[in-house]
Amino acid sequence: LPKKELRRLQNLRPAVWQGDAMLPQLPWRSPFAGAILAISLFEGLGALLVALLTLGAQIYVLSAERNRDLEDAVSACFDNVAQLWSVQNITHAHLREFLQNHTVQAIAVGGGSPCQDNSFLNAARKGMASERTLLYREVGRVCDVARDVVSELQLDIPVGKFLENVRHCPVE
Protein backbone atom coordinates (compact mmCIF):
# COMPACT_ATOMS: atom_id res chain seq x y z
CA LEU A 1 0.00 0.00 0.00
CA PRO A 2 1.17 3.57 -0.60
CA LYS A 3 2.53 5.28 2.53
CA LYS A 4 -0.36 7.77 2.59
CA GLU A 5 -2.92 4.95 2.68
CA LEU A 6 -0.91 3.05 5.30
CA ARG A 7 -0.83 6.06 7.62
CA ARG A 8 -4.53 6.75 7.08
CA LEU A 9 -5.47 3.16 7.97
CA GLN A 10 -3.04 2.95 10.90
CA ASN A 11 -4.25 6.23 12.42
CA LEU A 12 -7.96 5.97 11.66
CA ARG A 13 -10.20 7.02 14.56
CA PRO A 14 -13.91 6.33 15.06
CA ALA A 15 -16.20 8.34 12.78
CA VAL A 16 -17.71 11.51 14.22
CA TRP A 17 -20.79 13.38 13.02
CA GLN A 18 -20.04 17.01 12.18
CA GLY A 19 -23.16 17.94 10.23
CA ASP A 20 -25.16 21.13 10.71
CA ALA A 21 -27.93 19.53 12.79
CA MET A 22 -27.84 17.14 15.71
CA LEU A 23 -28.34 13.46 14.98
CA PRO A 24 -31.29 11.88 16.74
CA GLN A 25 -30.37 9.14 19.19
CA LEU A 26 -32.50 6.02 19.09
CA PRO A 27 -32.72 3.56 21.98
CA TRP A 28 -30.89 0.44 20.85
CA ARG A 29 -28.61 -1.89 22.68
CA SER A 30 -25.77 -2.99 20.46
CA PRO A 31 -24.91 -6.68 20.58
CA PHE A 32 -21.25 -5.60 20.45
CA ALA A 33 -19.42 -4.09 23.40
CA GLY A 34 -16.95 -2.19 21.25
CA ALA A 35 -16.46 -0.63 17.88
CA ILE A 36 -17.68 -1.91 14.52
CA LEU A 37 -15.77 -1.62 11.26
CA ALA A 38 -18.25 -0.39 8.65
CA ILE A 39 -17.03 -0.99 5.11
CA SER A 40 -19.46 1.20 3.25
CA LEU A 41 -19.50 0.50 -0.47
CA PHE A 42 -21.13 2.92 -2.88
CA GLU A 43 -21.29 5.35 0.04
CA GLY A 44 -23.60 7.88 -1.57
CA LEU A 45 -24.69 10.40 1.05
CA GLY A 46 -23.62 8.39 4.09
CA ALA A 47 -26.92 6.78 5.08
CA LEU A 48 -25.20 3.78 6.69
CA LEU A 49 -23.04 6.07 8.81
CA VAL A 50 -26.04 8.15 9.89
CA ALA A 51 -27.97 5.00 10.81
CA LEU A 52 -25.15 3.46 12.85
CA LEU A 53 -24.30 6.67 14.68
CA THR A 54 -27.99 7.36 15.37
CA LEU A 55 -28.15 3.92 16.98
CA GLY A 56 -25.20 4.86 19.18
CA ALA A 57 -22.65 2.55 17.57
CA GLN A 58 -18.98 3.43 17.63
CA ILE A 59 -17.76 2.90 14.07
CA TYR A 60 -14.59 2.98 12.08
CA VAL A 61 -15.35 3.60 8.42
CA LEU A 62 -13.75 2.52 5.19
CA SER A 63 -15.74 4.10 2.39
CA ALA A 64 -15.77 3.51 -1.36
CA GLU A 65 -17.46 6.13 -3.51
CA ARG A 66 -16.39 7.15 -7.01
CA ASN A 67 -18.50 10.28 -7.26
CA ARG A 68 -16.39 13.18 -5.95
CA ASP A 69 -19.44 15.30 -5.11
CA LEU A 70 -20.86 12.53 -2.92
CA GLU A 71 -17.46 11.90 -1.35
CA ASP A 72 -17.23 15.63 -0.52
CA ALA A 73 -20.74 15.56 0.99
CA VAL A 74 -19.78 12.67 3.28
CA SER A 75 -16.52 14.43 4.24
CA ALA A 76 -18.50 17.56 5.12
CA CYS A 77 -20.73 15.64 7.55
CA PHE A 78 -18.36 13.04 8.99
CA ASP A 79 -14.88 13.25 10.39
CA ASN A 80 -12.52 10.25 10.31
CA VAL A 81 -13.75 8.38 7.23
CA ALA A 82 -11.09 6.60 5.18
CA GLN A 83 -12.09 7.17 1.55
CA LEU A 84 -10.78 4.40 -0.71
CA TRP A 85 -12.23 5.87 -3.94
CA SER A 86 -13.35 2.66 -5.67
CA VAL A 87 -14.83 -0.57 -4.34
CA GLN A 88 -12.51 -2.54 -6.63
CA ASN A 89 -9.53 -1.00 -4.80
CA ILE A 90 -10.36 -2.62 -1.46
CA THR A 91 -7.84 -5.39 -0.85
CA HIS A 92 -6.57 -7.82 1.77
CA ALA A 93 -3.75 -5.34 2.47
CA HIS A 94 -6.20 -2.56 3.40
CA LEU A 95 -8.12 -4.71 5.86
CA ARG A 96 -5.01 -6.39 7.26
CA GLU A 97 -3.42 -3.00 7.94
CA PHE A 98 -6.55 -1.72 9.66
CA LEU A 99 -7.15 -4.85 11.77
CA GLN A 100 -3.52 -5.05 12.88
CA ASN A 101 -3.82 -1.55 14.33
CA HIS A 102 -7.40 -1.50 15.70
CA THR A 103 -9.74 -3.63 17.76
CA VAL A 104 -13.30 -4.08 16.55
CA GLN A 105 -16.09 -6.38 17.65
CA ALA A 106 -17.65 -6.89 14.21
CA ILE A 107 -17.32 -6.00 10.55
CA ALA A 108 -20.30 -4.89 8.44
CA VAL A 109 -19.80 -4.85 4.67
CA GLY A 110 -22.47 -3.38 2.50
CA GLY A 111 -24.23 -0.57 0.80
CA GLY A 112 -26.44 0.21 -2.12
CA SER A 113 -24.83 -0.56 -5.46
CA PRO A 114 -25.50 1.81 -8.33
CA CYS A 115 -29.19 1.31 -9.07
CA GLN A 116 -29.87 3.66 -11.97
CA ASP A 117 -30.03 0.76 -14.44
CA ASN A 118 -32.48 -1.14 -12.20
CA SER A 119 -34.91 1.67 -11.52
CA PHE A 120 -38.29 1.91 -13.24
CA LEU A 121 -37.66 5.67 -13.23
CA ASN A 122 -35.01 5.10 -15.90
CA ALA A 123 -36.84 4.29 -19.14
CA ALA A 124 -33.52 3.32 -20.77
CA ARG A 125 -32.45 1.02 -17.92
CA LYS A 126 -30.18 -1.87 -18.85
CA GLY A 127 -30.74 -4.05 -15.78
CA MET A 128 -28.21 -6.86 -15.46
CA ALA A 129 -26.64 -5.88 -18.80
CA SER A 130 -25.09 -2.83 -17.14
CA GLU A 131 -21.56 -2.99 -15.72
CA ARG A 132 -22.63 -0.62 -12.92
CA THR A 133 -25.47 -2.94 -11.93
CA LEU A 134 -23.01 -5.83 -11.62
CA LEU A 135 -21.00 -3.92 -9.03
CA TYR A 136 -23.30 -5.49 -6.40
CA ARG A 137 -20.97 -8.50 -6.64
CA GLU A 138 -18.30 -6.44 -4.93
CA VAL A 139 -20.23 -6.67 -1.65
CA GLY A 140 -19.65 -10.43 -1.57
CA ARG A 141 -16.04 -10.10 -2.71
CA VAL A 142 -15.17 -7.54 -0.03
CA CYS A 143 -16.96 -9.65 2.59
CA ASP A 144 -14.87 -12.66 1.52
CA VAL A 145 -11.71 -10.54 1.74
CA ALA A 146 -12.68 -9.45 5.26
CA ARG A 147 -13.36 -13.05 6.31
CA ASP A 148 -10.00 -14.14 4.84
CA VAL A 149 -8.12 -11.47 6.80
CA VAL A 150 -10.05 -12.20 10.02
CA SER A 151 -9.12 -15.87 9.64
CA GLU A 152 -5.50 -15.10 8.74
CA LEU A 153 -5.12 -12.90 11.83
CA GLN A 154 -6.95 -15.51 13.94
CA LEU A 155 -9.56 -13.01 15.12
CA ASP A 156 -12.89 -14.12 16.52
CA ILE A 157 -15.19 -11.46 15.11
CA PRO A 158 -18.29 -11.79 12.92
CA VAL A 159 -18.32 -10.44 9.38
CA GLY A 160 -21.73 -9.65 7.89
CA LYS A 161 -22.89 -8.26 4.58
CA PHE A 162 -25.96 -6.56 3.19
CA LEU A 163 -27.05 -5.04 -0.09
CA GLU A 164 -29.66 -2.33 -0.56
CA ASN A 165 -31.21 -1.74 -3.95
CA VAL A 166 -34.30 -0.21 -5.55
CA ARG A 167 -37.72 -1.76 -5.46
CA HIS A 168 -38.41 -3.94 -8.50
CA CYS A 169 -34.75 -4.59 -9.20
CA PRO A 170 -34.04 -7.73 -11.27
CA VAL A 171 -34.39 -10.98 -9.35
CA GLU A 172 -30.81 -11.88 -10.29
Side-chain angles (χ1 to χ4, degrees):
L1 293 175
K3 286 184 181 183
K4 183 178 178 181
E5 282 190 19
L6 277 174
R7 281 193 307 275
R8 181 174 48 193
L9 292 170
Q10 290 168 348
N11 299 319
L12 190 62
R13 296 187 326 248
V16 176
W17 171 256
Q18 60 185 19
D20 292 340
M22 291 180 55
L23 279 180
Q25 295 298 299
L26 300 176
W28 177 69
R29 185 180 173 124
S30 173
F32 308 108
I36 299 168
L37 171 59
I39 304 174
S40 187
L41 311 178
F42 324 108
E43 180 59 52
L45 293 173
L48 173 62
L49 311 184
V50 169
L52 289 170
L53 290 176
T54 296
L55 291 171
Q58 181 185 34
I59 57 172
Y60 290 95
V61 181
L62 302 182
S63 171
E65 175 56 64
R66 284 189 137 183
N67 183 308
R68 290 285 186 201
D69 292 333
L70 295 173
E71 183 180 323
D72 290 345
V74 168
S75 294
C77 292
F78 299 94
D79 198 15
N80 304 324
V81 172
Q83 302 276 3
L84 299 176
W85 174 241
S86 173
V87 65
Q88 292 97 337
N89 291 346
I90 299 174
T91 66
H92 287 80
H94 288 102
L95 299 183
R96 188 178 306 109
E97 191 62 40
F98 174 83
L99 290 170
Q100 287 175 331
N101 290 282
H102 298 84
T103 300
V104 295
Q105 301 299 308
I107 299 174
V109 179
S113 67
C115 59
Q116 294 85 347
D117 282 318
N118 284 337
S119 174
F120 279 148
L121 297 175
N122 179 0
R125 66 186 173 276
K126 298 176 185 176
M128 298 305 285
S130 167
E131 285 186 34
R132 286 190 318 173
T133 297
L134 297 179
L135 284 171
Y136 78 88
R137 295 175 176 162
E138 291 295 317
V139 172
R141 183 193 68 80
V142 172
C143 186
D144 289 344
V145 167
R147 287 182 176 141
D148 289 348
V149 174
V150 164
S151 177
E152 172 192 321
L153 297 176
Q154 299 180 351
L155 300 173
D156 185 24
I157 57 175
V159 178
K161 64 182 173 184
F162 69 91
L163 176 68
E164 175 271 326
N165 211 311
V166 294
R167 185 173 180 200
H168 304 297
C169 66
V171 173
E172 301 89 353

